[in-house]
């Protein structure tokens, strides 16, 4: 197979690494890729926002499957344009991607299908939103309705903080994503991530993971795209996974199919495990980052078989195998992230650390000759597997400490809930 993978982050490096293990892979292109993917795939400087250019490239290079990593091209409808040209795609349609592209869309589906989630209200103007906050108080959650690179959600502990977040949304801090705002009750419990690969009808559940969204240790600081993850997450017992599938994932898939907009791709279900059971925090319509890094370390089957079967509606024909170990990843981010940060600082000793139990996935890197440079907010994902969370964590942090990058930082407590 000839495959085009769209994206440039740690998720894409992990997917690319796993796909290259397939005996069926003839050629892998990554657009635009990063300093990690270029070591075993061909990075191509495609403008993925130009769907015609992606279609033309795919036809010219006789691409058998396009795998779309990030959410922005999915919400923009790249899957529809590729399918219209007769090209197989792993990734949902534009309408189905609204499960991530619009918080209000997802809330409406929850109402329609009886999916347990936080009570909410949506607003397209500042004053009614502020009045709602005065009525409900804090803690409360403010969400920009659209895509905001993982930074459009504020868990406000005080009314003042909540009002600041609403002002940020309507003042353009998140661009068009903040034109509408969803305000939710603050759910109390432990968060977990459950991924389901779906072909519109059939579903395969992946091991449950746990992400670490806050920038600093002890879950302090601003929300980020994710500072680390591990899987399987002990909080998600078999009974909880079955319940989350029955009450949340399956109704969502059924509801989308009933609307005539079936979901095909991977559905990320962000859960809060409350006293009343699992409740939906959010859906994403692509592999999570950094959860993908740990899941790919655990997958003991051919990823390409799974992705292809999903794209062709034959997911019932595959049954993935998973290693019985624990995987954990630590994100190394540029100082200042998720705020302003410097680019082009030199990273030393990141190469050569990969082995049977440790792998360094690149998220925001470029290569300049022999030099590896930081080129983003989240830069490296140092990932390890072990017989326990403790062993995986010990291996991951040993590799972190071997990397020479004074311009970066990481959390030192990834996996703390499991321990």
């Amino acid at each position: 197979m000839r495959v085009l993978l769209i994206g440039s982050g740690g998720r894409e490096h992990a997917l690319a690494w796993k796909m290259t293990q397939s005996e069926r892979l003839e050629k892998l292109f990554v657009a635009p890729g990063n300093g990690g993917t270029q070591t075993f795939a061909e990075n191509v400087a495609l403008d993925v926002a130009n769907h015609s250019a992606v279609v033309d490239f795919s036809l010219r290079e006789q691409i058998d499957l396009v795998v779309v990593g990030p959410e922005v091209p999915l919400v923009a409808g790249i899957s529809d344009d590729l399918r219209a040209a007769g090209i197989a795609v792993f990734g949902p349609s534009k309408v189905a991607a609204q499960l991530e592209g619009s918080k209000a869309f997802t809330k409406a589906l929850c109402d329609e299908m009886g999916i347990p989630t936080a009570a909410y209200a949506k607003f397209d103007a500042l004053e009614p939103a502020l009045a709602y906050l005065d009525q409900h108080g804090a803690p409360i959650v403010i969400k920009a309705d659209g895509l905001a690179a993982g930074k459009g959600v504020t868990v406000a502990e005080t009314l003042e903080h909540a009002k600041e977040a609403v002002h940020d949304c309507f003042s353009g801090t998140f661009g068009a994503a903040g034109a509408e705002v969803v305000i939710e009750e603050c759910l109390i419990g432990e968060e977990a991530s459950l991924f389901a690969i779906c072909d519109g009808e059939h579903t395969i559940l992946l091991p449950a993971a746990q992400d670490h969204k806050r920038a600093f240790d002890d879950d302090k600081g601003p929300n980020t795209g994710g500072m680390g993850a591990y899987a399987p997450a002990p909080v998600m017992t078999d009974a909880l996974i079955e319940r989350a599938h029955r009450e949340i994932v399956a109704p969502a898939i059924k509801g989308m199919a009933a609307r005539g907009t079936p979901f095909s791709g991977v559905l990320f279900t962000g859960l809060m495990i409350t006293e009343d059971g699992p409740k939906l925090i959010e859906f994403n319509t692509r592999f999570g980052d950094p959860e993908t890094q740990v899941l790919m370390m655990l997958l003991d089957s051919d990823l390409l078989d799974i992705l292809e079967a999903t794209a062709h509606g034959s997911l019932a024909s595959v049954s993935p195998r998973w290693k019985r170990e624990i995987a954990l990843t630590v994100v190394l981010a540029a100082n200042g992230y998720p705020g302003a940060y410097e680019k082009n600082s030199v990273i030393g000793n990141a190469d050569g650390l990969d082995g049977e139990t440790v792998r360094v996935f690149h998220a925001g890197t470029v290569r300049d000759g022999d030099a590896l440079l930081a080129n983003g907010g989240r830069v490296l994902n140092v990932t390890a597997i072990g017989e326990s969370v403790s062993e995986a964590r010990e291996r991951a942090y040993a590799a972190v400490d071997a990397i020479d990058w004074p311009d970066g930082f990481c959390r030192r407590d990834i996996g703390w809930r499991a321990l």
Side-chain angles (χ1 to χ4, degrees):
M1 292 184 68
R2 295 170 65 83
V3 178
L4 170 62
L5 171 62
I6 291 175
S8 63
R11 163 185 49 226
E12 285 75 36
H13 189 186
L15 292 171
W17 168 74
K18 195 64 187 177
M19 277 192 279
T20 57
Q21 296 171 28
S22 173
E23 294 180 356
R24 300 175 57 225
L25 183 70
E26 175 190 319
K27 176 76 174 180
L28 176 61
F29 299 94
V30 190
N34 60 37
T37 58
Q38 77 176 64
T39 60
F40 51 70
E42 182 177 336
N43 287 354
V44 289
L46 267 179
D47 177 7
V48 298
N50 183 342
H51 295 184
S52 294
V54 176
V55 169
D56 290 345
F57 176 88
S58 300
L59 293 172
R60 185 172 66 251
E61 293 292 341
Q62 298 179 300
I63 298 298
D64 298 297
L65 177 67
V66 177
V67 180
V68 186
E71 64 273 22
V72 172
L74 289 171
V75 171
I78 195 168
S79 296
D80 304 79
D81 293 333
L82 286 161
R83 289 188 180 107
I87 301 162
V89 188
F90 180 88
S93 66
K94 182 175 184 176
V95 173
Q98 286 300 294
L99 285 170
E100 177 166 5
S102 169
K103 309 294 190 299
F105 179 97
T106 294
K107 287 295 191 180
L109 181 70
C110 289
D111 290 344
E112 181 183 326
M113 300 303 297
I115 295 171
T117 187
Y120 75 102
K122 65 175 182 174
F123 302 91
D124 57 11
L126 176 64
E127 293 305 324
L130 294 177
Y132 183 87
L133 291 176
D134 284 330
Q135 181 182 354
H136 287 83
I140 202 162
V141 179
I142 315 299
K143 295 182 176 181
D145 180 64
L147 298 178
K151 303 179 186 72
V153 177
T154 300
V155 181
E157 299 293 341
T158 66
L159 190 58
E160 180 182 16
H161 190 197
K163 290 184 175 182
E164 285 177 9
V166 168
H167 275 285
D168 282 346
C169 288
F170 286 120
S171 67
T173 298
F174 305 110
E180 286 194 347
V181 172
V182 171
I183 301 178
E184 294 183 350
E185 71 168 314
C186 185
L187 297 175
I188 305 300
E190 190 169 343
E191 288 190 44
S193 306
L194 185 62
F195 292 85
I197 295 179
C198 317
D199 67 359
E201 182 179 358
H202 298 284
T203 299
I204 291 174
L205 295 181
L206 281 57
Q210 196 161 59
D211 190 9
H212 299 62
K213 285 292 186 190
R214 300 289 187 138
F216 308 126
D217 286 11
D218 302 320
D219 288 336
K220 307 284 188 193
N223 268 336
T224 71
M227 293 300 293
Y230 63 98
V235 66
M236 289 298 288
T237 62
D238 289 345
L240 270 177
I241 290 173
E242 194 280 328
R243 184 174 174 185
H245 178 249
R246 183 180 71 251
E247 297 181 1
I248 298 173
V249 176
I253 299 300
K254 181 180 179 181
M256 294 300 289
R259 291 178 171 191
T261 56
F263 184 91
S264 175
V266 60
L267 184 67
F268 160 92
T269 305
L271 300 169
M272 184 69 78
I273 311 305
T274 72
E275 291 182 350
D276 299 323
K279 291 190 177 184
L280 177 70
I281 301 173
E282 64 177 354
F283 284 131
N284 291 337
T285 60
R286 35 76 191 184
F287 281 109
D289 191 346
E291 295 100 332
T292 304
Q293 289 82 314
V294 294
L295 292 173
M296 291 304 102
M297 291 285 278
L298 294 174
L299 181 61
D300 205 22
S301 297
D302 189 321
L303 175 64
L304 203 48
D305 288 347
I306 300 169
L307 301 181
E308 183 190 26
T310 305
H312 290 290
S314 57
L315 194 56
S317 66
V318 299
S319 182
R321 300 179 309 277
W322 300 91
K323 296 175 184 175
R324 299 180 64 83
E325 293 168 289
I326 301 286
L328 182 145
T329 189
V330 179
V331 172
L332 279 171
N335 290 337
Y337 175 81
Y341 52 84
E342 298 290 329
K343 290 187 176 183
N344 297 319
S345 57
V346 177
I347 304 168
N349 203 40
D351 294 324
L353 295 174
D354 293 343
E356 284 292 314
T357 59
V358 174
R359 182 133 320 247
V360 179
F361 294 116
H362 293 227
T365 68
V366 292
R367 293 189 185 272
D368 182 8
D370 292 335
L372 182 66
L373 306 179
N375 189 44
R378 293 186 296 167
V379 176
L380 295 173
N381 312 134
V382 183
T383 313
I385 58 174
E387 295 295 326
S388 64
V389 176
S390 297
E391 186 175 58
R393 182 159 103 154
E394 185 177 325
R395 287 171 175 166
Y397 279 113
V400 165
D401 293 337
I403 295 171
D404 180 18
W405 186 37
D407 294 285
F409 78 100
C410 69
R411 283 183 57 161
R412 306 295 305 194
D413 65 345
I414 303 304
W416 69 270
R417 286 187 183 275
L419 296 171

